[in-house]
Every structure is written in structure tokens, then in C-alpha cells.
Amino acid sequence: MIQSTEMAKEKAKKTKIVVKAPTQERSRQTVSTILDACSRLLVSEGFYSITTDKIAKEAGVSIGSLYQFFGNKESVVQAVVKNLMEEDKRIIAEKMRAIFPLPPEQRVRAMLEMSFETYRRQYELRAKLTTIQYYVADASYISESIRFFQETVKYNLPQIPGKDMEKISYIIVNAFIGMANTMAIDNPNYINDPTILSEMSKLFLKYLDLPISE
């Protein structure tokens, strides 16, 4: 128990996020430049090889400018994760409006297609973040984001009498995230494979007792 408490404290210390939130346009631009630089380094070198000095150099800013907004390397990466997720939320919320009027079985496939399309965005970066995002990111933020996706899916799924749609949306979202994260690590080409999309569509349609069109 003591060891677990110490590990939690160490993680909290390492994942301290933005020290000073940017309020002016120039400051926001500096933060954006730092996050873009960090993203490039994550793709080219990986999390364990980068340092705050490398991030500042890649961004073309002084190390003092970086520390004005971030406490350490982990906090920069945490902000990269958050930016990626926030953009995912925006894209999904926007595109879901066009999907909702479709018949149920078409809607399920369209939601999967949209999820695959969204996940392809900055896919190399996602692959690098997959194994460390739960280490650097705030657990409550990750949980809140997953709940957002679950609520979005639940709202857009056809209502099935006698089924707990809360639990069904939980299973579907986490099954997709698990599959997508695994693909990012060991089969990155699968994200563009139409057979994978087709098979996942059949899986979810079968689970929802909806017609499967060949």
C-alpha cells in the first residue's frame, strides 16, 4: 500500500500539467508551437528519448519560455494527449449529426467508419502515445473523455427494448478503443484495411441484433 501511494505521488508530480494557462494570443501561439514540436519528436524519437531541452529546441523557443507554461516533459505530452482528444470530440460531435438520420444498421457502420477516419488523424502520433498516454494523462480526464464517447454512441444507437444501452455503449466504445490501440502497436496497416472495418461492423451489428448486409 505504501509503495502504491508513493507511485501515485510520483505520477502526480511528473504529470503536472500546464503551469500557466496562456491568456494572450502570443502565449497561445507559443504553447501551440511547443505542442507541435513535442508531437513531431514523439513520432521521430519516442517518449523516452525526448527532453524539455529537445522540445524547446525543436519549437525554436527558449527553455525558459517552455517552463513558463509547463513543469516538465510529462506535462507537455499530457497537453498533447488532451489536444488530440479534444479535437476527436469536436470532429465526432460534428459528423454525428449527419449520421443520426440513417437507418440503424447503416448508422452503426457509419459510426465505425467515422471512428476509423478520426483515428487515422495523426495516426503515427497515436501509435507513439498508445503505450504511455495512461501514464502521462490525468486519469479523470481520460475517464471523462471516454464517457463523452459513450454518451455520444448511446444517443445515436437504436434503442433496443430490454437492453441496458448504458452498458452496451460502454462495451462498444471500449471494444473499439482496445482494438484501435492494439492495431496502432502491432498492425498499423489495419487502420486502412476495409476488411477490418467490415468484420468489426458485423461484430457490432450481431451484438446489437441488427441485420447484417453483405
Side-chain angles (χ1 to χ4, degrees):
M1 177 65 75
I2 293 175
Q3 185 178 10
S4 298
T5 303
E6 291 302 318
M7 287 175 66
K9 288 180 180 178
E10 182 66 17
K11 179 180 178 181
K13 181 176 71 174
K14 285 186 176 182
T15 58
K16 183 180 179 184
I17 199 167
V18 181
V19 174
K20 178 183 175 184
T23 55
Q24 298 181 347
E25 181 57 35
R26 184 176 178 182
S27 295
R28 286 194 289 269
Q29 183 57 52
T30 299
V31 168
S32 178
T33 300
I34 291 170
L35 296 185
D36 288 344
C38 182
S39 297
R40 290 194 298 273
L41 288 172
L42 283 167
V43 171
S44 63
E45 299 189 22
F47 173 75
Y48 296 104
S49 295
I50 64 175
T51 64
T52 49
D53 284 331
K54 284 185 178 182
I55 296 170
K57 183 178 180 180
E58 177 72 17
V61 302
S62 68
I63 191 66
S65 293
L66 186 148
Y67 283 129
Q68 183 181 359
F69 300 103
F70 300 99
N72 46 37
K73 173 182 77 172
E74 287 82 1
S75 67
V76 186
V77 178
Q78 187 183 70
V80 169
V81 172
K82 185 173 182 179
N83 269 15
L84 195 59
M85 282 197 165
E86 288 301 309
E87 185 64 7
D88 285 351
K89 292 178 189 176
R90 186 194 67 77
I91 291 170
I92 286 174
E94 180 180 304
K95 291 189 174 182
M96 198 66 83
R97 288 194 289 269
I99 291 172
F100 186 75
L102 295 172
E105 61 274 14
Q106 292 181 28
R107 198 184 314 158
V108 171
R109 183 178 176 88
M111 284 197 294
L112 265 175
E113 288 175 344
M114 177 192 63
S115 300
F116 268 72
E117 181 183 342
T118 303
Y119 209 81
R120 289 186 195 106
R121 189 178 64 86
Q122 299 192 55
Y123 191 57
E124 288 184 305
L125 176 60
R126 290 181 196 275
K128 296 293 184 178
L129 290 172
T130 294
T131 56
I132 55 95
Q133 63 182 347
Y134 293 103
Y135 164 68
V136 298
D138 178 65
S140 62
Y141 174 75
I142 293 288
S143 296
E144 175 190 318
S145 298
I146 292 175
R147 280 197 299 272
F148 168 84
F149 297 128
Q150 288 169 200
E151 287 299 313
T152 303
V153 168
K154 184 179 76 170
Y155 178 79
N156 287 279
L157 282 176
Q159 296 302 302
I160 305 172
K163 298 284 189 179
D164 187 335
M165 301 309 296
E166 187 79 30
K167 290 185 174 65
I168 285 176
S169 63
Y170 176 88
I171 290 168
I172 287 175
V173 167
N174 283 282
F176 175 82
I177 291 173
M179 178 68 74
N181 286 343
T182 301
M183 287 192 300
I185 296 170
D186 63 3
N187 281 296
N189 292 331
Y190 277 5
I191 197 68
N192 295 307
D193 188 336
T195 304
I196 295 293
L197 173 60
S198 177
E199 292 302 310
M200 285 188 72
S201 296
K202 291 176 185 176
L203 178 69
F204 289 139
L205 288 169
K206 182 70 174 176
Y207 175 57
L208 294 166
D209 292 325
L210 292 172
I212 299 174
S213 56
E214 296 296 338

